[in-house]
Amino acid sequence: MASPDISAREAEVLALLGEHLSNAEIAARLVISVRTVESHVSSLLRKLLLPDRRALARHAAESARSAEPSALPVPLTGFVGRAREREELAEAVRGHRLVTVAGPGGVGKTRLALAVAADVADGFEDGAWFVDLVPVSEPDRVGAAVAAAVGVGEHPGRGIDDAVPAALADRRALLVLDNAEHVRDGVAPFLERLLAACPRLRVLVTSRARLMVPFERVFTVPPLSREGGDESDAVALFMDRAAAAGQPHGPAVSEGVLAICERLGGMALAIELAAARWSTLGLDGLTAGLSDQLRILTGGSRADERHRSVRAVLDWSHDLLEPPDRALLRRLSVFVAPFTAEAAAEVAGFAPLDPAGVVDGLGGLAEESLLGVTPSASGTQYHALETIRQYGTERLIEAGELADVRSRHLRWCLAGAAALTGAGGADWRARFDAVAEDVRAALTWAADQPDQRENAYRLALSMAELAFARNLLGEAQQRFEQAARLAGDNAGDNAGDDAAALRQAAAVAGCRSLDGDMFRLHRAAAEAARRAGDTAGAGRDLAAAATVAYRFSSSFARLPPVDEVTAMLAEARELSGDSPAAEAAVALAEAAVVADAFGAVQGDPDNTARQTVRYAERAVELARRAGDPVAESAALDALSGARSWAGEPFAAAAAARRRIGILVSVPADPAGTHERMDALAMAAGTAVGVGELSEARRYGRQLADHPLLAEAGHHATSWLLVAEAFTGDTGEVLKGGVRFLDAWEKTGRLRSRSAGPAAASIAMIHGLRGDHDTRASWLAIVDESGPEADHRLGYGAVFDAMVLLHHGDAAAALERVGPEPDQVWKWVCWVWLHWYTALRAEAAVLAGHPDARGRITAARTLVTGNPVASAQVDRAEAILDGDLPGQLAAAAAFDAAGCRYQSARTLVLAGGEHVAAGEAALTGLGLAPTAVR
């Protein structure tokens, strides 16, 4: 197939979509209007035959991997020597799942690993990734660092450590983890899980010590060889780096160079540092200076001497610096990520340095190879090798400056986080990424300093909010919980702050579909509020936890016992007092737990619908009085459910739509975002229930485009797929089904109330196409993706009956929707009542049921106002009466409702001259011919 003709501008837009930028961010980056971006996105969707912008983003990422199969950094200096080690390590990587390149700091582990990774990268069709673990200050963030390098996002219902193995499960790729020694406790268990789940993955690790995990092959890096004199690897490296510093090559000095390399034990970093000084000290000066430094090594073993030579050269290089430059070198060690001159001046610019001296000093340290320099989009950045950074930290401690410099670094991080909070712009993500690792490192240090707990709390809270804005939901929840612990440690100064942070953490857990965590965190917030003397807040949190247990019951790994939740609700009533917010929360919990407004898995099916409506209406009114739009939206969700159980789908849809309007002005914080996503899903679902398919698709598309669902195609597209299946938009359903299945499998095949209907709708489309084998495969997915009773008694009956009627098996269809609606009310009332009732009438007519007329009358009373179900009932009656004009009128009504499938089928059922047109329309939809009566 020919490649689509994509313009240069479209290619730029596509690449930025691959970075998950919004239309506004793309417009700002390319200096074009948002409308122009939208036009390019539409054009790309059409040219590439892709269903949505998520698919475009994946396409862009895959194209980038194809164009650049290696994501390995390219060192600024060439790799010298080590031909034998390079070949042996390459063979080890090809033959073993996990290879650890071990050796002391400065021996050259990273450069050898990068060279070998580049050598073998062509053998890994899915690419190679490099992860620098230096900035990772917490062992439990190793998975997040790998995810960021690989480009894996979070999936609802699971953490990032589970998302990475799922994403790489079938990849033949190479993963390089550099500098693992300081987070070995995190690297080892992560790699054990990763390698078990990814049989085609190879991992190359550099570390000062082995990881001690199964399947590990250790490759110890020796010092550079001095054998061969001028031709040795050690001399070659020295001469290469000396030439880069301005000293020309010359054989006359090689004997002295060889002696220096011998004194340095062949350690690569020590040789490079010495070579950088040749142009200023000369060979004699180098020899004399190093002789003084290395005298302390006499008496030790040869191996120890080699390993200690790096420290000796660092001591020597340090002593040659002027006092201000020494101060600068040690102070810069607090930065874990590349930094700018401005950042260095702010953190290190105090006596004996001033900001101007810092800027000058950076250049001097770079000339001495003690700092690396990298150009970037935001300007020149500096960084120190990890060995030099650790050396600088030791010097910082010796100088008694550690607490002072780290405090200044902490203040810099606080200011940087504050500047990002609430900010926007096309470069916001890049600015966040530039400071995030330093913020994390500062937070790790401050959290262990009793006198910095207040600053640590503030930084944790800021990082939580920023991580949420960056769509790092797992970290956002972690940081909110960390902020709560830090606030709790200083309860006198921060009474109640821990409860507030825990509420935020609970909302983030809701956004992640970790509803068990949401339940746990609301209970923890209640305890924190109680400790702070806020009994009304404690009551509100307990009520919120009780509501979560019933509102989101289908996604709990383990449901809390009913007695436990009931006791929590009783306690919430006692604690709430006369607080309007707490009273509203208790009213919602009563609607959920007592009246089962949400149709919970553990709910009582004997509650009367009218009573449920009354409970929900009271919750809505109290939330409105409390002035809390998020609480009012949640109460309207209960009312929407209650109206469904009462057999009032139009009222249910109206309540769901009200939620969208109420939430328009709510900030995009965790609680507001969680509620908005749920509101969009419910608005789409209830719109399907009343036949407003265009509205269902509109709300479904908004949900599918939500940035937090970028990796969650099953959640994002569920109701969109259902609406498109009912319209007969076969192409969209088949393309969407690919995304749905991929995302569902990557989340560990989790069950949910929305995943089951989506999978069943895809199965239905395959059934209408006549592909019964594929339909059977999707029905197996239905059995896994949603509650069994929902499928057997609810939506499954609707979709199965449509397939059976399409293929002319009216008797089987009649049996599939045989129970009266009030016998299966809990499974059909929410969305499926009109569809179920209309299908019962149609199946009765086509199967010749004696009460077909009665079923039509009963259905018409119920579905009036639903354009699709009404047309279906009209068609059934027209068929029963032999009324051809009535059937054609029904076809027109289906067209007007956007239901092309039913319009085409109506023409076929009308017979005669209309059959050909109907069959042509079905063929155009990609469906099999329907059976003629």
Side-chain angles (χ1 to χ4, degrees):
M1 186 173 113
S3 299
D5 183 17
I6 295 176
S7 70
R9 179 62 86 187
E10 286 171 344
E12 291 177 321
V13 171
L14 182 61
L16 295 176
L17 286 169
E19 297 179 25
H20 298 292
L21 299 188
S22 68
N23 284 354
E25 290 172 325
I26 294 172
R29 183 79 64 88
L30 300 179
V31 197
I32 56 178
S33 70
V34 174
R35 187 180 296 275
T36 301
V37 175
E38 292 171 350
S39 175
H40 287 315
V41 171
S42 298
S43 177
L44 287 166
L45 289 171
R46 184 178 66 257
K47 290 180 178 181
L48 295 172
L49 303 177
L50 294 172
D52 52 40
R53 67 186 292 122
R54 296 301 184 280
L56 282 175
R58 287 197 303 276
H59 177 86
E62 289 165 3
S63 297
R65 279 197 297 269
S66 298
E68 297 182 47
S70 174
L72 301 172
V74 179
L76 296 177
T77 55
F79 186 79
V80 177
R82 292 201 185 276
R84 180 179 57 81
E85 294 98 320
R86 194 167 176 171
E87 182 177 346
E88 290 177 357
L89 181 56
E91 285 303 309
V93 171
R94 294 186 186 103
H96 298 275
R97 302 286 312 284
L98 171 63
V99 178
T100 298
V101 179
V107 77
K109 301 183 295 296
T110 298
R111 293 301 302 272
L112 177 61
L114 279 174
V116 169
D119 291 342
V120 302
D122 287 345
F124 296 92
E125 61 263 29
D126 291 313
W129 295 286
F130 178 84
V131 185
D132 183 7
L133 295 176
V134 167
V136 179
S137 53
E138 300 156 303
D140 59 2
R141 287 202 53 77
V142 169
V146 175
V150 174
V152 174
E154 291 190 49
H155 296 273
R158 58 170 37 188
I160 197 69
D161 283 5
D162 295 320
V164 174
L168 301 183
D170 58 350
R171 298 282 187 89
R172 177 165 175 74
L174 175 64
L175 183 64
V176 182
L177 301 184
D178 192 32
N179 291 296
E181 59 273 351
H182 69 293
V183 284
R184 273 200 306 168
D185 290 346
V187 171
F190 175 77
L191 287 183
E192 285 195 68
R193 294 194 303 272
L194 184 67
L195 290 170
C198 307
R200 304 176 69 207
L201 186 70
R202 295 287 187 273
V203 180
L204 179 61
V205 178
T206 73
S207 176
R208 296 189 181 188
R210 63 176 300 176
L211 301 179
M212 304 296 290
V213 296
F215 315 117
E216 180 184 24
R217 174 69 171 242
V218 178
F219 184 93
T220 302
V221 181
L224 285 165
S225 170
R226 279 85 65 209
E227 295 180 5
D230 285 356
E231 304 302 319
S232 69
D233 288 349
V235 170
L237 177 64
F238 186 100
M239 298 303 290
D240 181 84
R241 301 303 190 253
Q247 179 66 30
H249 288 288
V253 296
S254 61
E255 184 176 345
V257 170
L258 181 61
I260 289 173
C261 293
E262 281 288 355
R263 284 183 174 275
L264 297 177
M267 299 298 285
L269 177 59
I271 289 171
E272 291 186 341
L273 292 173
R277 288 284 187 175
W278 189 1
S279 61
T280 56
L281 296 179
L283 194 58
D284 291 345
L286 282 176
T287 302
L290 289 174
S291 295
D292 290 340
Q293 286 295 320
L294 295 174
R295 278 182 304 177
I296 60 171
L297 300 178
T298 56
S301 70
R302 187 64 175 167
D304 287 343
E305 180 179 327
R306 287 168 176 166
H307 297 174
R308 286 154 53 195
S309 64
V310 172
R311 175 175 294 278
V313 173
L314 284 171
D315 286 339
W316 169 72
S317 297
H318 176 267
D319 291 345
L320 290 174
L321 296 174
E322 294 298 324
D325 290 336
R326 295 179 194 172
L328 179 59
L329 180 65
R330 65 178 180 258
R331 292 172 185 178
L332 294 177
S333 67
V334 296
F335 288 102
V336 297
F339 53 88
T340 63
E342 292 78 11
E346 189 167 340
V347 172
F350 62 99
L353 295 171
D354 57 32
V358 169
V359 175
D360 290 340
L362 291 172
L365 293 177
E367 290 176 2
E368 304 298 342
S369 295
L370 293 168
L371 285 182
V373 185
T374 307
S376 72
S378 59
T380 302
Q381 292 189 321
Y382 301 86
H383 67 278
L385 291 176
E386 177 63 3
T387 300
I388 295 174
R389 198 179 72 82
Q390 291 178 3
Y391 177 85
T393 300
E394 293 177 4
R395 288 290 185 168
L396 197 61
I397 295 171
E398 291 173 5
E401 293 183 341
L402 181 66
D404 192 10
V405 177
R406 284 206 177 276
S407 296
R408 293 175 69 92
H409 180 250
L410 174 62
R411 289 195 294 274
W412 175 78
C413 290
L414 280 165
L420 286 168
T421 302
D427 64 342
W428 186 90
R429 294 182 182 185
R431 288 189 289 127
F432 169 84
D433 292 343
V435 302
E437 291 296 356
D438 273 292
V439 170
R440 292 169 182 132
L443 182 52
T444 298
W445 174 77
D448 286 337
Q449 308 301 311
D451 61 338
Q452 293 287 357
R453 289 298 174 86
E454 175 64 27
N455 284 331
Y457 162 73
R458 289 170 50 215
L459 190 56
L461 199 60
S462 292
M463 190 60 183
E465 294 167 354
L466 294 171
F468 185 80
R470 185 62 177 83
N471 292 351
L472 302 174
L473 301 192
E475 182 172 11
Q477 181 181 331
Q478 173 197 352
R479 298 304 177 190
F480 277 125
E481 293 192 56
Q482 183 180 27
R485 289 193 298 272
L486 290 165
D489 290 342
N490 295 293
D493 299 325
N494 300 282
D497 286 350
D498 49 351
L502 287 166
R503 291 177 193 122
Q504 293 276 59
V508 177
C511 292
R512 302 175 68 201
S513 294
L514 294 177
D515 299 310
D517 268 13
M518 197 179 184
F519 176 79
R520 169 182 63 83
L521 289 163
H522 273 303
R523 295 191 72 176
E527 288 304 310
R530 197 198 306 267
R531 287 194 301 269
D534 180 9
T535 55
R540 189 171 110 185
D541 287 314
L542 284 175
T547 298
V548 167
Y550 276 66
R551 187 182 181 191
F552 304 110
S553 59
S554 65
S555 56
F556 269 71
R558 185 189 69 83
L559 279 175
V562 173
D563 291 347
E564 178 183 327
V565 177
T566 302
M568 289 168 52
L569 177 55
E571 186 177 2
R573 290 192 192 101
E574 294 177 6
L575 293 172
S576 295
D578 57 1
S579 163
E583 188 180 9
V586 169
L588 178 58
E590 289 173 338
V593 178
V594 177
D596 193 27
F598 297 108
V601 172
Q602 74 275 34
D604 183 357
D606 294 329
N607 290 325
T608 65
R610 286 292 108 203
Q611 180 190 40
T612 303
V613 169
R614 286 194 295 272
Y615 270 98
E617 286 179 331
R618 178 172 179 268
V620 171
E621 176 59 23
L622 290 174
R624 187 189 63 76
R625 289 182 192 173
D628 185 342
V630 172
E632 186 176 356
S633 172
L636 282 168
D637 190 27
L639 180 59
S640 182
R643 292 293 189 189
S644 291
W645 312 140
E648 301 171 3
F650 295 108
R657 284 195 301 271
R658 280 176 60 191
R659 296 177 65 192
I660 303 296
I662 287 171
L663 294 169
V664 166
S665 60
V666 170
D669 60 10
T673 299
H674 178 233
E675 194 63 34
R676 185 175 287 108
M677 288 195 298
D678 184 77
L680 285 171
M682 295 304 99
T686 53
V688 167
V690 295
E692 296 289 349
L693 298 181
S694 62
E695 286 290 285
R697 295 179 79 170
R698 181 166 68 88
Y699 290 130
R701 176 58 60 193
Q702 291 178 35
L703 184 65
D705 287 342
H706 199 290
L708 290 190
L709 297 179
E711 304 291 335
H714 56 315
H715 285 293
T717 62
S718 290
W719 288 112
L720 185 60
L721 285 167
V722 172
E724 288 171 340
F726 277 129
T727 66
D729 201 337
T730 305
E732 292 299 310
V733 173
L734 296 182
K735 286 187 290 186
V738 174
R739 179 185 174 193
F740 175 93
L741 183 58
D742 178 65
W744 180 67
E745 288 181 335
K746 285 180 178 177
T747 60
R749 306 168 81 92
L750 298 176
R751 290 182 182 271
S752 77
R753 275 266 161 81
S754 61
S761 70
I762 300 168
M764 181 190 76
I765 286 295
H766 285 291
L768 298 181
R769 286 166 54 84
D771 186 350
H772 297 293
D773 288 342
T774 304
R775 176 173 181 254
S777 298
W778 274 99
L779 289 176
I781 293 169
V782 174
D783 290 339
E784 288 188 62
S785 59
E788 184 272 337
D790 286 14
H791 177 237
R792 179 169 51 85
L793 301 172
Y795 58 80
V798 171
F799 291 127
D800 289 351
M802 288 181 68
V803 172
L804 292 167
L805 288 173
H806 183 87
H807 293 291
D809 195 347
L814 183 63
E815 183 178 354
R816 190 70 178 88
V817 290
E820 293 286 343
D822 60 2
Q823 293 179 294
V824 290
W825 70 272
K826 187 171 183 178
W827 295 275
V828 301
C829 283
W830 175 44
V831 169
W832 316 107
L833 180 61
H834 285 182
W835 300 94
Y836 186 89
T837 307
L839 281 164
R840 288 186 86 241
E842 180 179 336
V845 169
L846 295 177
H849 190 279
D851 191 31
R853 182 78 62 185
R855 289 193 177 185
I856 288 173
T857 300
R860 189 179 305 286
T861 301
L862 187 63
V863 306
T864 297
N866 181 323
V868 180
S870 292
Q872 196 165 5
V873 173
D874 289 344
R875 180 179 65 193
E877 186 171 40
I879 292 172
L880 183 64
D881 294 339
D883 177 6
L884 179 59
Q887 292 184 60
L888 297 180
F894 282 127
D895 275 329
C899 197
R900 294 183 295 162
Y901 162 66
Q902 291 293 2
S903 174
R905 182 164 175 268
T906 304
L907 294 177
V908 175
L909 290 173
E913 63 186 22
H914 305 291
V915 172
E919 289 183 342
L922 288 170
T923 299
L925 293 172
L927 302 177
T930 188
V932 181
R933 289 178 294 124

